[in-house]
PDB file of all heavy atoms in Angstrom:
ATOM      1  N   GLN A  53      -0.440  16.244  11.749  1.00 64.00           N
ATOM      2  CA  GLN A  53      -1.072  16.453  10.439  1.00 64.00           C
ATOM      3  C   GLN A  53      -2.361  15.647  10.312  1.00 64.00           C
ATOM      4  O   GLN A  53      -3.317  16.087   9.668  1.00 64.00           O
ATOM      5  CB  GLN A  53      -0.115  16.089   9.309  1.00 64.00           C
ATOM      6  CG  GLN A  53       1.109  16.995   9.177  1.00 64.00           C
ATOM      7  CD  GLN A  53       2.238  16.616  10.106  1.00 64.00           C
ATOM      8  OE1 GLN A  53       2.136  15.666  10.870  1.00 64.00           O
ATOM      9  NE2 GLN A  53       3.338  17.361  10.037  1.00 64.00           N
ATOM     10  N   ASP A 205     -37.196 -11.931   4.106  1.00 95.00           N
ATOM     11  CA  ASP A 205     -35.922 -11.508   3.519  1.00 95.00           C
ATOM     12  C   ASP A 205     -34.755 -12.277   4.147  1.00 95.00           C
ATOM     13  O   ASP A 205     -33.822 -12.689   3.447  1.00 95.00           O
ATOM     14  CB  ASP A 205     -35.707 -10.008   3.717  1.00 95.00           C
ATOM     15  CG  ASP A 205     -36.671  -9.166   2.884  1.00 95.00           C
ATOM     16  OD1 ASP A 205     -37.244  -9.707   1.908  1.00 95.00           O
ATOM     17  OD2 ASP A 205     -36.846  -7.971   3.203  1.00 95.00           O
ATOM     18  N   ALA A 209     -32.170 -14.799   2.269  1.00 96.00           N
ATOM     19  CA  ALA A 209     -30.737 -14.503   2.297  1.00 96.00           C
ATOM     20  C   ALA A 209     -29.949 -15.663   2.904  1.00 96.00           C
ATOM     21  O   ALA A 209     -28.864 -16.008   2.424  1.00 96.00           O
ATOM     22  CB  ALA A 209     -30.480 -13.224   3.084  1.00 96.00           C
ATOM     23  N   SER A 293      22.372 -20.063  -3.701  1.00 87.00           N
ATOM     24  CA  SER A 293      22.072 -20.790  -4.934  1.00 87.00           C
ATOM     25  C   SER A 293      21.169 -20.034  -5.889  1.00 87.00           C
ATOM     26  O   SER A 293      21.138 -20.315  -7.092  1.00 87.00           O
ATOM     27  CB  SER A 293      21.432 -22.141  -4.606  1.00 87.00           C
ATOM     28  OG  SER A 293      20.130 -21.959  -4.052  1.00 87.00           O
ATOM     29  N   GLY A 294      20.393 -19.073  -5.350  1.00 87.00           N
ATOM     30  CA  GLY A 294      19.415 -18.372  -6.163  1.00 87.00           C
ATOM     31  C   GLY A 294      18.158 -19.175  -6.434  1.00 87.00           C
ATOM     32  O   GLY A 294      17.282 -18.739  -7.190  1.00 87.00           O
ATOM     33  N   LYS A 352      16.943  -3.607  20.663  1.00 93.00           N
ATOM     34  CA  LYS A 352      15.695  -3.451  21.413  1.00 93.00           C
ATOM     35  C   LYS A 352      14.542  -3.912  20.539  1.00 93.00           C
ATOM     36  O   LYS A 352      14.552  -3.712  19.320  1.00 93.00           O
ATOM     37  CB  LYS A 352      15.520  -1.979  21.816  1.00 93.00           C
ATOM     38  CG  LYS A 352      14.302  -1.661  22.649  1.00 93.00           C
ATOM     39  CD  LYS A 352      14.278  -0.166  22.985  1.00 93.00           C
ATOM     40  CE  LYS A 352      13.052   0.216  23.812  1.00 93.00           C
ATOM     41  NZ  LYS A 352      13.038   1.681  24.105  1.00 93.00           N
ATOM     42  N   GLY A 370       4.802 -15.177  13.183  1.00 89.00           N
ATOM     43  CA  GLY A 370       3.454 -14.621  13.153  1.00 89.00           C
ATOM     44  C   GLY A 370       3.331 -13.268  13.813  1.00 89.00           C
ATOM     45  O   GLY A 370       2.313 -12.592  13.659  1.00 89.00           O
ATOM     46  N   SER A 488      18.322  -0.459 -28.997  1.00 97.00           N
ATOM     47  CA  SER A 488      19.617   0.015 -29.476  1.00 97.00           C
ATOM     48  C   SER A 488      20.731  -0.720 -28.741  1.00 97.00           C
ATOM     49  O   SER A 488      20.519  -1.249 -27.642  1.00 97.00           O
ATOM     50  CB  SER A 488      19.765   1.523 -29.285  1.00 97.00           C
ATOM     51  OG  SER A 488      19.944   1.842 -27.922  1.00 97.00           O
ATOM     52  N   LEU A 507      32.352  -1.538 -22.556  1.00 96.00           N
ATOM     53  CA  LEU A 507      31.162  -2.325 -22.251  1.00 96.00           C
ATOM     54  C   LEU A 507      30.189  -2.289 -23.418  1.00 96.00           C
ATOM     55  O   LEU A 507      29.997  -1.239 -24.044  1.00 96.00           O
ATOM     56  CB  LEU A 507      30.444  -1.792 -21.000  1.00 96.00           C
ATOM     57  CG  LEU A 507      31.230  -1.788 -19.680  1.00 96.00           C
ATOM     58  CD1 LEU A 507      30.351  -1.222 -18.562  1.00 96.00           C
ATOM     59  CD2 LEU A 507      31.722  -3.174 -19.322  1.00 96.00           C
ATOM     60  N   ARG A 583      31.872   1.329 -13.428  1.00 94.00           N
ATOM     61  CA  ARG A 583      30.672   2.091 -13.085  1.00 94.00           C
ATOM     62  C   ARG A 583      30.462   3.269 -14.044  1.00 94.00           C
ATOM     63  O   ARG A 583      29.344   3.507 -14.511  1.00 94.00           O
ATOM     64  CB  ARG A 583      30.758   2.606 -11.643  1.00 94.00           C
ATOM     65  CG  ARG A 583      29.505   3.313 -11.181  1.00 94.00           C
ATOM     66  CD  ARG A 583      29.482   3.478  -9.685  1.00 94.00           C
ATOM     67  NE  ARG A 583      28.278   4.158  -9.228  1.00 94.00           N
ATOM     68  CZ  ARG A 583      27.896   4.232  -7.950  1.00 94.00           C
ATOM     69  NH1 ARG A 583      28.619   3.638  -7.009  1.00 94.00           N
ATOM     70  NH2 ARG A 583      26.778   4.876  -7.629  1.00 94.00           N
ATOM     71  N   GLU A 600      11.365   9.216 -25.465  1.00 96.00           N
ATOM     72  CA  GLU A 600      10.157  10.020 -25.435  1.00 96.00           C
ATOM     73  C   GLU A 600       9.742  10.264 -23.989  1.00 96.00           C
ATOM     74  O   GLU A 600      10.190   9.576 -23.067  1.00 96.00           O
ATOM     75  CB  GLU A 600       9.005   9.329 -26.184  1.00 96.00           C
ATOM     76  CG  GLU A 600       9.159   9.315 -27.702  1.00 96.00           C
ATOM     77  CD  GLU A 600       8.947  10.679 -28.340  1.00 96.00           C
ATOM     78  OE1 GLU A 600       8.528  11.624 -27.619  1.00 96.00           O
ATOM     79  OE2 GLU A 600       9.181  10.816 -29.561  1.00 96.00           O
ATOM     80  N   LEU A 624     -14.206  18.467 -18.917  1.00 94.00           N
ATOM     81  CA  LEU A 624     -13.287  17.342 -19.083  1.00 94.00           C
ATOM     82  C   LEU A 624     -12.691  17.323 -20.486  1.00 94.00           C
ATOM     83  O   LEU A 624     -11.498  17.045 -20.668  1.00 94.00           O
ATOM     84  CB  LEU A 624     -14.002  16.017 -18.797  1.00 94.00           C
ATOM     85  CG  LEU A 624     -14.354  15.724 -17.335  1.00 94.00           C
ATOM     86  CD1 LEU A 624     -15.170  14.433 -17.247  1.00 94.00           C
ATOM     87  CD2 LEU A 624     -13.105  15.598 -16.478  1.00 94.00           C
ATOM     88  N   GLY A 629      -9.516  15.138 -21.385  1.00 93.00           N
ATOM     89  CA  GLY A 629     -10.054  13.989 -20.687  1.00 93.00           C
ATOM     90  C   GLY A 629     -10.817  13.057 -21.611  1.00 93.00           C
ATOM     91  O   GLY A 629     -11.323  13.449 -22.660  1.00 93.00           O
ATOM     92  N   MET A 652      -5.101  18.769 -14.247  1.00 88.00           N
ATOM     93  CA  MET A 652      -5.979  18.667 -13.086  1.00 88.00           C
ATOM     94  C   MET A 652      -5.664  19.648 -11.965  1.00 88.00           C
ATOM     95  O   MET A 652      -6.327  19.633 -10.926  1.00 88.00           O
ATOM     96  CB  MET A 652      -5.944  17.239 -12.537  1.00 88.00           C
ATOM     97  CG  MET A 652      -6.572  16.205 -13.471  1.00 88.00           C
ATOM     98  SD  MET A 652      -8.286  16.587 -13.884  1.00 88.00           S
ATOM     99  CE  MET A 652      -9.066  16.392 -12.274  1.00 88.00           C
ATOM    100  N   ARG A 660     -16.296  22.884  -8.101  1.00 86.00           N
ATOM    101  CA  ARG A 660     -17.220  23.583  -7.190  1.00 86.00           C
ATOM    102  C   ARG A 660     -17.939  24.706  -7.921  1.00 86.00           C
ATOM    103  O   ARG A 660     -19.144  24.909  -7.747  1.00 86.00           O
ATOM    104  CB  ARG A 660     -16.446  24.141  -5.986  1.00 86.00           C
ATOM    105  CG  ARG A 660     -16.115  23.135  -4.923  1.00 86.00           C
ATOM    106  CD  ARG A 660     -15.765  23.805  -3.607  1.00 86.00           C
ATOM    107  NE  ARG A 660     -14.600  24.673  -3.718  1.00 86.00           N
ATOM    108  CZ  ARG A 660     -13.350  24.284  -3.511  1.00 86.00           C
ATOM    109  NH1 ARG A 660     -13.102  23.016  -3.176  1.00 86.00           N
ATOM    110  NH2 ARG A 660     -12.339  25.132  -3.636  1.00 86.00           N
ATOM    111  N   SER A 661     -17.217  25.422  -8.762  1.00 89.00           N
ATOM    112  CA  SER A 661     -17.806  26.524  -9.522  1.00 89.00           C
ATOM    113  C   SER A 661     -18.812  26.004 -10.541  1.00 89.00           C
ATOM    114  O   SER A 661     -19.899  26.584 -10.703  1.00 89.00           O
ATOM    115  CB  SER A 661     -16.702  27.315 -10.224  1.00 89.00           C
ATOM    116  OG  SER A 661     -17.236  28.329 -11.036  1.00 89.00           O
ATOM    117  N   ASN A 682       2.832  18.393 -28.435  1.00 90.00           N
ATOM    118  CA  ASN A 682       2.846  19.739 -27.851  1.00 90.00           C
ATOM    119  C   ASN A 682       3.340  19.723 -26.401  1.00 90.00           C
ATOM    120  O   ASN A 682       4.001  20.666 -25.940  1.00 90.00           O
ATOM    121  CB  ASN A 682       1.456  20.366 -27.938  1.00 90.00           C
ATOM    122  CG  ASN A 682       0.411  19.624 -27.136  1.00 90.00           C
ATOM    123  OD1 ASN A 682       0.313  18.401 -27.198  1.00 90.00           O
ATOM    124  ND2 ASN A 682      -0.385  20.362 -26.369  1.00 90.00           N
TER     125      ASN A 682
END
Side-chain angles (χ1 to χ4, degrees):
Q53 293 83 0
D205 291 341
S293 68
K352 182 179 179 181
S488 73
L507 299 180
R583 184 165 180 168
E600 288 288 352
L624 288 175
M652 292 303 294
R660 281 198 299 270
S661 176
N682 64 313

